[in-house]
Amino acid sequence: QELQGHPLHQFRARMFKAYPSALAAFDALNVDGNRSLDMREWCEITATWGLCSLFEARVIFELMDANRDGTLTLHEFQMGLEAVRPVLSLAAARKRLVCLGFETMLHAIAVMDGGGEDTTHVPLTFQEFGCALRRAYILEDREHRALFNLVRDPTDPSCKASLSDLA
């Protein structure tokens, strides 16, 4: 299922339409200047400013509050926005995977491989490649297509790519 309509995607789009950077957006939202936002403050500001509904504000806050301490820091805000940035390049894929907590690209590729015997060098069809990417939370078909086209050998008539090509 495509996530383009997810509240966090929509929120990200609104933030970058209104502000030149995540820092500028966070500073605008952080009205009291204490460098963090609690749930009440976040919901009040985002809903009042029409950035999202109260329900969406709660969902977004919970998704971004990585350490679950009830406050949203600039770092968590930046990572939350980066985690839903479209993955249309290998650099964007690496950023997304780091934001999601993968320590290295090899760690992410191992998760994509699904465990068990190492099959990361086995050529995959586009559909198989997309299924593997989903295991590491790269969920959108257009992201799958972009990465597949970046790593596959265009001269190979089988039109396949392996997970190791992502490394």
Side-chain angles (χ1 to χ4, degrees):
Q1 175 185 355
E2 297 287 329
L3 292 180
Q4 204 56 19
H6 189 279
L8 191 48
H9 283 269
Q10 295 168 359
F11 181 79
R12 183 184 191 283
R14 288 182 193 120
M15 287 290 93
F16 286 113
K17 186 176 181 181
Y19 301 99
S21 68
L23 175 60
F26 186 84
D27 285 344
L29 294 170
N30 188 226
V31 176
D32 65 9
N34 68 351
R35 307 300 295 165
S36 68
L37 300 162
D38 63 27
M39 175 74 85
R40 182 200 52 76
E41 182 180 20
W42 170 265
C43 289
E44 183 178 309
I45 293 167
T46 56
T48 301
W49 291 3
L51 297 170
C52 56
S53 71
L54 187 57
F55 174 77
E56 291 169 338
R58 288 184 182 129
V59 169
I60 293 167
F61 185 92
E62 289 176 6
L63 289 170
M64 288 186 166
D65 184 16
N67 64 2
R68 306 284 183 245
D69 69 351
T71 61
L72 191 59
T73 64
L74 172 61
H75 179 73
E76 289 171 321
F77 183 76
Q78 289 173 318
M79 295 302 263
L81 293 180
E82 191 63 38
V84 295
R85 178 186 195 136
V87 173
L88 303 176
S89 69
L90 290 175
R94 288 183 180 103
K95 281 184 180 181
R96 160 95 53 94
L97 296 168
V98 167
C99 288
L100 292 172
F102 292 102
E103 295 176 15
T104 64
M105 193 65 175
L106 293 177
H107 176 216
I109 290 170
V111 169
M112 290 177 201
D113 194 30
E117 182 182 340
D118 180 6
T119 60
T120 57
H121 287 75
V122 174
L124 304 173
T125 64
F126 170 69
Q127 184 177 15
E128 294 166 332
F129 192 80
C131 287
L133 291 173
R134 287 180 190 281
R135 291 185 195 112
Y137 309 105
I138 297 176
L139 303 173
E140 295 187 38
D141 288 337
R142 70 185 180 120
E143 295 173 326
H144 301 169
R145 177 60 63 194
L147 293 174
F148 186 79
N149 287 339
L150 284 169
V151 300
R152 75 176 177 85
D153 179 358
T155 64
D156 180 1
S158 70
C159 194
K160 293 185 176 183
S162 70
L163 294 176
S164 64
D165 294 330
L166 292 168

